[in-house]
Amino acid sequence: MNTESLNRFLYGSKLKVYALMRYTTYTLTILAVGILLYAHGVVEDPTTLRRLFYAIDGILMVFVVIYLLRILYAFERVKFLRRTRFEGLLMLVVFINEFSTYVLGVPLIYNIFDSIGISMSVELYRASVSLYMLLLLVIELLETRVHLKTLQLKPGITFLLSFITLITIGTGLFMLPKMTTTPDGMRFIDALFMATSASCITGLVVVDPGTYFTLSGQVLLLVLVQLGGLGVMTFATFFASLMRQGMGIKQHVALHQIMDSESLLSAKGLLSKLITLTLTIEAIGAVIIFATWSPEVQFSNLGSKIFYSVFHAVNGFCNAGFSLFPEGLYTQPLRFGYVMHLSVAALIILGGLGFPTMLDVFSPSSMRRRMAAPWRNWKLLTRVTLYTSAALLTLGTVVFFLLEYYNTLASLSFPEALVTAFFQSVTARSGGYHTVDISVLNTPTILLFLFLMFIGASPGSMGGGIKTTTFAVIILSVATTIRGRENLEIGHRTIPHSISYKAFSVFTFAAVINLFCIFLLSITDAQFEILQLVFEQVSAFGTVGLSTGITAGLSDAGKLIILLSMYVGRVGTLTLALALSTRANIKGYKYPEAHLAVG
């Protein structure tokens, strides 16, 4: 039977078979995810666990059969295979593992990962496939006409809701019994705080992740950081593009607004570069960290060392600052691992530059264009971001070195003190790691940290704060006003007044929110000094994660205030305001101008 005859034979049953496959996929995906949660979060009995995993393996095999049926009914089968090559590769891995395990009696994936000491390999494999199918399900639901008609949300609202969804799921998972080492599980407010801190890539903790969470809990923490760093919308759109026919105009508009790119054309093609660049940098960072662990740091096996390396590389690039060591990088003997400190600092800097800047500087296409035309300059956003970041890093390093030379740096040699000062300057902008005792810093140093944390990282980055470009526009706008000039000019370009208004709006919103939250904290947690509360609040808003050590001791009301600050700091004050605002009425008239004395 040739291809045309086969297609004619299958045509009559195509709609019924597709409907059956769709409903089967929906049902089995939800069932698989439910079984995974029950197995990894609740069940302790080995026999029950084994039966549950057999059930999941059976479901995965059904997914393989469904994929083969989709190939059969695709009619244009070569195009279908090209379009779903990622899914096809995943189904091939599932088939090979199932065949080797249940037919040949050789658990392939388990043997491969167990040989290098990585535990939970099979569980992670099952979870990955099931979550992939769940994502397929969600995307297919969102692509149906019913949902497109009833769910007309602005990209800003969708962005806000994506983080709320991620936090909610993370909170529920953290409260499962097997996620923690304590018999009673995690309190709701603490689970909510940790889920918010991870999803908003802040790094403030109310428990020690290295001892309080099991390996399952630590993996969940890592996943929340990665999803929160790149954004749930970014991942969903990326996988929608990967699994289906690509991005439509609505996805381009959403990505354009979320990433604050210059145009829809610049947003096109940005997604795959963004994911590729992130995973590449994190992989290189993990390899470097793996190679620079101090010999005195003891790991139980090779798998543990790999996991710790990946965990800290992802947290470094995502500017999250979570660590599996009790005192972070300040833990003995990590505090003297200066090569690793510089590696983590490089990851933090790259993660804080923002994707538009990184792509303009590091993408192969940009490098080729500059090599062909050396006179071409970076984009204006890139120049402002790089110059402002370099100035703040230099300022922070020099001032910290001078202020702490006879305090936290007193026992170090000059090169060690310089590296330590540089690391604190880097991490204070959004990184969250520290290699000195924050609680004993001098008061002027604390004020320096507040300044750097409030400014934060750059637009389109992993960091929080008002952003470097906002700070630059405000400073230059003030200078322009003082010099009596009418227009703000940067790099031989005139910046519209609307940009200045936006910068001052962001600054005002941020200042008001921080002052209001500090006022509330002074009521709910009056047992702490006001400077400690101010530091905690600004660190939360800037999604920095540094603390003077009071986070775990905050009252439940205080934790709620801090987690709300983390959320607002991650999504952005202006994004929040614009998303919740109503559309302004356009007026066809203007009132007469009047003079008002200010200053």
Side-chain angles (χ1 to χ4, degrees):
M1 182 182 293
N2 58 30
T3 303
E4 187 175 346
S5 302
L6 177 63
N7 290 346
R8 277 202 221 98
F9 176 76
L10 297 173
Y11 184 78
S13 60
K14 182 175 181 178
L15 292 178
K16 292 182 179 178
V17 172
Y18 261 82
L20 179 62
M21 288 191 296
R22 185 180 296 112
Y23 291 130
T24 303
T25 302
Y26 291 169
T27 304
L28 292 183
T29 298
I30 295 172
L31 181 62
V33 172
I35 292 174
L36 278 169
L37 293 178
Y38 182 63
H40 290 294
V42 180
V43 178
E44 296 283 356
D45 179 53
T47 304
T48 306
L49 278 174
R50 196 178 306 111
R51 290 172 180 170
L52 291 174
F53 290 149
Y54 286 156
I56 294 173
D57 285 342
I59 292 173
L60 297 185
M61 206 54 216
V62 175
F63 289 157
V64 174
V65 174
I66 289 175
Y67 182 75
L68 293 175
L69 286 174
R70 287 169 59 200
I71 296 175
L72 184 65
Y73 278 89
F75 294 168
E76 294 182 331
R77 296 175 181 86
V78 176
K79 290 184 179 180
F80 176 82
L81 288 172
R82 289 175 181 170
R83 193 173 70 239
T84 62
R85 57 187 178 274
F86 183 83
E87 186 177 353
L89 180 62
L90 190 62
M91 293 299 105
L92 179 62
V93 171
V94 172
F95 175 77
I96 292 173
N97 184 69
E98 301 288 301
F99 183 81
S100 64
T101 301
Y102 293 101
V103 178
L104 303 179
V106 181
L108 186 63
I109 288 182
Y110 177 82
N111 288 346
I112 292 174
F113 286 94
D114 187 60
S115 64
I116 56 176
I118 299 180
S119 57
M120 286 185 66
S121 56
V122 179
E123 290 85 347
L124 290 175
Y125 148 76
R126 292 179 177 123
S128 300
V129 178
S130 300
L131 291 176
Y132 178 90
M133 300 308 295
L134 178 63
L135 189 57
L136 252 177
L137 183 151
V138 172
I139 290 170
E140 188 143 341
L141 286 175
L142 292 177
E143 285 179 348
T144 59
R145 291 186 176 183
V146 173
H147 286 270
L148 288 177
K149 289 180 179 179
T150 59
L151 200 63
Q152 296 291 339
L153 298 177
K154 293 187 291 184
I157 290 287
T158 308
F159 184 66
L160 300 180
L161 292 178
S162 68
F163 277 96
I164 292 176
T165 303
L166 185 63
I167 291 168
T168 303
I169 294 173
T171 301
L173 293 178
F174 274 137
M175 293 180 69
L176 294 175
K178 290 177 65 176
M179 289 294 172
T180 62
T181 56
T182 57
D184 299 328
M186 202 171 193
R187 295 173 60 234
F188 170 75
I189 188 65
D190 292 336
L192 179 63
F193 189 97
M194 292 299 295
T196 305
S197 185
S199 303
C200 298
I201 51 175
T202 304
L204 290 174
V205 295
V206 291
V207 296
D208 175 20
T211 57
Y212 188 84
F213 291 122
T214 61
L215 181 58
S216 298
Q218 292 168 3
V219 170
L220 172 61
L221 186 67
L222 180 62
V223 170
L224 290 177
V225 167
Q226 186 71 90
L227 289 174
L230 280 175
V232 182
M233 286 295 296
T234 303
F235 271 105
T237 309
F238 172 71
F239 281 110
S241 177
L242 204 60
M243 298 176 203
R244 294 294 181 253
Q245 299 176 359
M247 293 169 58
I249 188 65
K250 291 182 69 175
Q251 286 79 21
H252 280 121
V253 171
L255 188 64
H256 161 64
Q257 294 190 15
I258 292 171
M259 294 302 298
D260 202 19
S261 55
E262 294 179 359
S263 65
L264 286 180
L265 289 176
S266 64
K268 186 177 182 179
L270 176 64
L271 198 57
S272 59
K273 295 178 182 178
L274 185 152
I275 298 289
T276 302
L277 186 63
T278 297
L279 298 180
T280 301
I281 292 174
E282 289 176 349
I284 294 173
V287 171
I288 295 174
I289 291 175
F290 180 88
T292 55
W293 287 116
S294 170
E296 299 176 16
V297 181
Q298 299 297 317
F299 297 98
S300 57
N301 50 46
L302 178 60
S304 176
K305 188 175 182 180
I306 293 174
F307 179 71
Y308 271 60
S309 302
V310 171
F311 187 93
H312 288 84
V314 171
N315 274 271
F317 182 72
C318 291
N319 284 207
F322 287 102
S323 178
L324 298 178
F325 298 97
E327 297 180 88
L329 300 187
Y330 184 64
T331 305
Q332 289 277 19
L334 293 178
R335 70 176 68 170
F336 303 118
Y338 298 108
V339 177
M340 191 191 72
H341 295 174
L342 291 175
S343 303
V344 174
L347 288 170
I348 294 172
I349 291 172
L350 290 173
L353 285 178
F355 288 110
T357 298
M358 280 198 296
L359 291 173
D360 189 23
V361 175
F362 299 114
S363 69
S365 58
S366 298
M367 290 182 177
R368 284 194 297 267
R369 283 197 300 268
R370 279 195 295 274
M371 289 179 66
W375 59 86
R376 290 175 63 96
N377 205 343
W378 289 322
K379 295 177 182 178
L380 181 61
L381 173 63
T382 302
R383 282 178 279 160
V384 173
T385 296
L386 290 177
Y387 297 153
T388 306
S389 298
L392 291 172
L393 285 174
T394 304
L395 174 68
T397 301
V398 173
V399 175
F400 185 92
F401 183 87
L402 295 176
L403 293 176
E404 293 295 317
Y405 190 72
Y406 294 105
N407 186 27
T408 56
L409 305 179
S411 61
L412 305 179
S413 64
F414 181 82
E416 293 172 342
L418 194 61
V419 171
T420 302
F422 172 73
F423 186 87
Q424 309 321 309
S425 178
V426 170
T427 195
R429 297 251 317 288
S430 194
Y433 286 120
H434 61 96
T435 56
V436 297
D437 188 353
I438 300 296
S439 64
V440 299
L441 293 177
N442 293 319
T443 300
T445 311
I446 293 290
L447 297 178
L448 169 69
F449 272 45
L450 292 174
F451 170 73
L452 294 175
M453 291 191 300
F454 186 75
I455 295 173
S458 301
S461 73
M462 306 287 191
I466 63 171
K467 303 294 188 292
T468 52
T469 49
T470 304
F471 174 72
V473 168
I474 290 174
I475 294 298
L476 294 175
S477 296
V478 172
T480 300
T481 302
I482 292 174
R483 293 160 67 183
R485 294 186 177 182
E486 183 177 349
N487 296 319
L488 171 62
E489 298 174 354
I490 303 177
H492 303 292
R493 295 290 187 273
T494 299
I495 306 302
H497 291 298
S498 59
I499 300 297
S500 297
Y501 298 154
K502 183 178 178 180
F504 280 102
S505 298
V506 169
F507 175 84
T508 304
F509 282 141
V512 170
I513 288 171
N514 277 283
L515 288 173
F516 180 67
C517 290
I518 291 167
F519 172 74
L520 293 179
L521 286 171
S522 68
I523 298 173
T524 61
D525 294 87
Q527 71 272 23
F528 298 114
E529 296 180 5
I530 188 64
L531 192 59
Q532 291 178 307
L533 296 175
V534 172
F535 191 91
E536 196 80 9
Q537 164 58 33
V538 177
S539 177
F541 173 80
T543 67
V544 178
L546 293 175
S547 175
T548 56
I550 68 171
T551 312
L554 291 172
S555 64
D556 288 349
K559 291 175 183 176
L560 189 61
I561 294 168
I562 292 296
L563 69 87
L564 289 174
S565 298
M566 291 190 286
Y567 176 75
V568 173
R570 178 66 182 104
V571 301
T573 52
L574 200 59
T575 301
L576 182 65
L578 293 176
L580 299 180
S581 65
T582 56
R583 183 175 297 178
N585 294 324
I586 300 176
K587 298 179 180 180
Y589 59 88
K590 183 177 75 171
Y591 289 113
E593 293 184 358
H595 177 73
L596 181 66
V598 294

